[in-house]
Amino acid sequence: MRNTIIISLLCSLCMLGCTGRHPHYRVGVSQCLDDAWRQKMNEEMRRELLLHPEIELSTRIAYGSNALQCAQIDSFIRERVDLLIVSPNVAEAVRPAVTRAYKAGIPVIVADRRVVGNEWTSFIGGDNYRVGQLMAQWIMGIQAGQREPIHVLEVTGLPGSTPTTLRHEGMMEEIDRFAQRQETLPEIASVMGSWYKEDAYKVVLEYLRTNKHIEVIVAQNDLMAIGAAEAVRDSKGYGKGSVRIMGVDGILLGLQAVVDGTIECTATYPSCGDLVIETAAHILADEPFVRDTVLETMMVDADAAHPMLMQYTARLHDLETMRIVQVNADQRWEKMKFERTVLIVVIVLVGLLFVVALGILLWMQTRLKTEIRKQILPQLEEVEQTLETIQLSQRDIAFNERMKQIVDDHLTDPNLNVEYLGSALQMSRTQIFRRVKTVTGKGPLDYIRERRLLRADELLRTTDMTIQQVALELCFSSPGYFTKCYKEYFGKLPSER
Ligand code: FRU
């Protein structure tokens, strides 16, 4: 009984415990930077995760440091994450850590920027070479029809990262292709902005201060394009005429800058966070996936930027709504978790109380039994004995009455003896002896004699009969024997009465 209660209690606790939302896979995300483009990518990943509750993300940011990124990847390896997503800072520098993860059996998705080598599971990212080509085509569009070469300033990202290299290569090789058809080619100079707006602002301002004349700036991302635009604005007096600026990414800030006219255009560079998570889910579930995904890029001018911005804002609004819904759901979940914990505690306490109460009850029951055995049972036995005695004496009285009746009716009968009594009372000789002894305290012959002596006394007192006559009447063998018996019983002679 007690075991059943404890087992059912444990079962219900287990059932309550099992209803929790437990992710099955832990995925590490190693981000090289934390700029607006990457925040967009992170947001896309978080959104996609709503469809994959089995995945739990842990994100670490290297803030542009190769050493920190390698250390963070190594810590993910030590923690034995189920999958690693890496957006490498500098392709060559981060390669060893990525290789270590891959060789440790952790599937690796390289996102956005590539690493050198082939030791990764899947790659998803934009077409950086194509971005460079789009830059070149835009530049050549401006150059077209001008006799003098235009002056172009390229603001690059961090050297060594694949977008910096590929965008530059794409641009230069595309211009070379134009060279075969065009007479006039642009003059291209390069400065390094390291992906940051502030760095771009400084290097462009510095470039303009040295009185170098430029008509066009191509920045390898929107943030640096905006930084360059601010530098042009602040360099009034150094630069000559207006400068046309192109960015890359098509993030919210970039589209806004195009719509505002701060920069002239941008090339989209998809951040693909949703696709990365989708691929991770396929890999983790052992489902087929694409090993190398290169995403499309396109030019966005003021006309295209407007609807895109509206779409983007609407999407952000949707995302915000989703985020609020998620926060509410999470809060509700937390509340439910709290309520569940309270419920478990209450059930455990009630269960414990129940078990304790049951224990006390059983203990009391055992004690009561012992007490009853010790105290009440002897009393009961006594009562039973008394009852028995009462019943016995009632039977004895009845027996005595019957025997007395029979004896008294046959006092003058010389045949009145033990045998006679036995047959009259339907008892054996032994039974008669035992019974008469119990009831009267004497043997049956003594009893008969006593009854005869009492009748004799009565006759002597109430009639004129002589001692002799009385002795004979009551079957004494002789008057002498009667006298002897009378003296013994009454303590005096029959004549003395
Ligand atoms: C952000 C960023 C983007 C750029 C991409 C290339 O870190 O600099 O602006 O397009 O990385 O990986």
Side-chain angles (χ1 to χ4, degrees):
M1 162 77 167
R2 257 180 293 182
N3 285 350
T4 325
I5 294 165
I6 292 166
I7 288 169
S8 48
L9 207 73
L10 287 175
C11 285
S12 36
L13 283 182
C14 284
M15 274 163 67
L16 280 168
C18 291
T19 49
R21 286 192 307 182
H22 292 302
H24 298 133
Y25 302 114
R26 217 179 137 241
V27 171
V29 181
S30 169
Q31 278 285 19
C32 54
L33 286 167
D34 188 29
D35 50 69
W37 186 89
R38 279 168 207 287
Q39 283 164 11
K40 182 172 165 252
M41 182 183 180
N42 293 342
E43 183 57 42
E44 286 164 355
M45 289 202 276
R46 268 197 294 276
R47 187 163 38 103
E48 190 66 18
L49 275 183
L50 294 175
L51 302 176
H52 296 283
E54 77 279 13
I55 296 177
E56 182 192 49
L57 277 198
S58 164
T59 306
R60 283 168 203 168
I61 299 159
Y63 300 102
S65 157
N66 298 321
L68 182 57
Q69 187 160 36
C70 288
Q72 287 172 344
I73 292 173
D74 282 333
S75 67
F76 278 133
I77 299 172
R78 277 195 302 279
E79 289 162 29
R80 296 285 329 153
V81 287
D82 297 299
L83 187 140
L84 185 67
I85 297 166
V86 186
S87 195
N89 193 45
V90 168
E92 188 62 63
V94 179
R95 175 196 189 172
V98 171
T99 306
R100 277 196 291 279
Y102 186 73
K103 287 199 169 147
I106 299 173
V108 181
I109 298 180
V110 177
D112 155 45
R113 302 180 183 179
R114 288 188 185 265
V115 274
V116 179
N118 253 329
E119 277 146 337
W120 39 265
T121 314
S122 175
F123 169 81
I124 302 161
D127 191 343
N128 284 301
Y129 189 84
R130 176 85 191 122
V131 168
Q133 286 181 319
L134 289 179
M135 282 173 163
Q137 286 161 15
W138 180 67
I139 293 167
M140 294 316 293
I142 299 171
Q143 178 66 69
Q146 302 219 17
R147 268 205 247 125
E148 294 300 310
I150 58 165
H151 298 91
V152 177
L153 181 64
E154 179 196 32
V155 186
T156 69
L158 194 71
S161 70
T162 50
T164 306
T165 315
L166 289 170
R167 286 174 195 178
H168 178 75
E169 271 173 25
M171 183 176 82
M172 297 315 281
E173 285 171 21
E174 184 70 1
I175 285 179
D176 279 350
R177 248 168 257 138
F178 273 94
Q180 290 147 25
R181 296 178 263 146
Q182 298 263 339
E183 279 177 16
T184 324
L185 286 182
E187 270 177 26
I188 298 178
S190 253
V191 286
M192 201 249 286
S194 318
W195 301 119
Y196 295 110
K197 180 181 160 191
E198 298 72 24
D199 289 10
Y201 175 86
K202 270 190 226 148
V203 290
V204 172
L205 196 63
E206 193 49 42
Y207 190 84
L208 292 171
R209 268 202 188 121
T210 52
N211 220 356
K212 286 175 189 150
H213 174 70
I214 44 171
E215 285 98 14
V216 171
I217 295 177
V218 280
Q220 286 192 343
N221 74 7
D222 287 341
L223 291 176
M224 292 192 296
I226 294 167
E230 284 174 12
V232 169
R233 182 199 61 201
D234 294 349
S235 72
K236 287 277 177 266
Y238 305 124
K240 290 181 207 148
S242 65
V243 180
R244 299 170 70 172
I245 305 172
M246 175 182 172
V248 178
D249 281 348
I251 54 167
L252 185 67
L253 281 173
L255 293 176
Q256 189 66 60
V258 175
V259 170
D260 294 349
T262 314
I263 64 174
E264 195 172 307
C265 57
T266 183
T268 58
Y269 186 72
S271 39
C272 61
D274 40 1
L275 192 58
V276 169
I277 293 297
E278 206 185 304
T279 308
H282 283 312
I283 295 173
L284 288 167
D286 254 337
E287 289 166 5
F289 61 94
V290 182
R291 179 163 150 87
D292 208 325
T293 309
V294 180
L295 300 158
E296 288 280 303
T297 185
M298 65 173 199
M299 210 42 181
V300 182
D301 58 11
D303 288 342
H306 223 108
M308 273 179 79
L309 192 63
M310 279 166 64
Q311 240 180 34
Y312 204 147
T313 323
R315 213 169 122 234
L316 279 181
H317 183 263
D318 286 353
L319 279 176
E320 186 53 20
T321 313
M322 271 176 72
R323 208 185 54 79
I324 292 169
V325 169
Q326 195 191 349
V327 167
N328 284 346
D330 283 353
Q331 278 172 355
R332 278 230 305 276
W333 172 245
E334 286 306 317
K335 206 174 142 224
M336 267 172 64
K337 254 175 35 186
F338 174 73
E339 286 169 358
R340 193 186 62 168
T341 315
V342 171
L343 191 71
I344 290 173
V345 171
V346 169
I347 289 177
V348 168
L349 285 182
V350 169
L352 281 178
L353 227 71
F354 188 71
V355 171
V356 169
L358 201 80
I360 292 175
L361 265 174
L362 288 170
W363 176 74
M364 278 170 62
Q365 198 189 28
T366 325
R367 270 204 59 175
L368 216 73
K369 270 188 193 161
T370 328
E371 281 297 303
I372 288 173
R373 230 173 262 135
K374 258 203 313 209
Q375 290 184 7
I376 302 179
L377 278 187
Q379 284 178 18
L380 255 177
E381 272 166 23
E382 217 171 276
V383 169
E384 271 173 16
Q385 266 175 15
T386 318
L387 264 175
E388 238 173 59
T389 320
I390 289 169
Q391 280 173 0
L392 213 86
S393 46
Q394 270 177 351
R395 271 192 284 137
D396 287 348
I397 289 167
F399 173 80
N400 197 22
E401 281 304 308
R402 269 186 71 206
M403 181 177 70
K404 197 171 142 205
Q405 193 64 51
I406 294 165
V407 170
D408 283 359
D409 285 352
H410 297 83
L411 285 177
T412 54
D413 187 346
N415 293 325
L416 177 65
N417 55 18
V418 180
E419 284 74 29
Y420 185 88
L421 256 186
S423 65
L425 291 166
Q426 291 170 337
M427 285 174 152
S428 72
R429 202 182 152 78
T430 330
Q431 279 174 328
I432 279 288
F433 264 100
R434 200 179 298 143
R435 203 66 205 280
V436 173
K437 185 84 185 165
T438 317
V439 174
T440 65
K442 44 184 76 100
L445 283 177
D446 288 343
Y447 177 73
I448 293 169
R449 189 181 312 119
E450 183 186 74
R451 294 307 299 168
R452 277 181 169 144
L453 283 170
L454 286 171
R455 174 68 63 79
D457 185 52
E458 190 190 329
L459 289 177
L460 285 175
R461 273 190 292 110
T462 56
T463 66
D464 294 333
M465 287 173 78
T466 62
I467 294 171
Q468 226 169 351
Q469 284 170 329
V470 170
L472 274 175
E473 173 76 5
L474 292 167
C475 311
F476 283 92
S477 53
S478 68
Y481 178 62
F482 168 67
T483 304
K484 183 180 166 260
C485 293
Y486 189 93
K487 174 86 192 322
E488 264 173 29
Y489 189 77
F490 292 109
K492 55 187 177 188
L493 294 168
S495 52
E496 288 172 359
R497 55 156 330 283

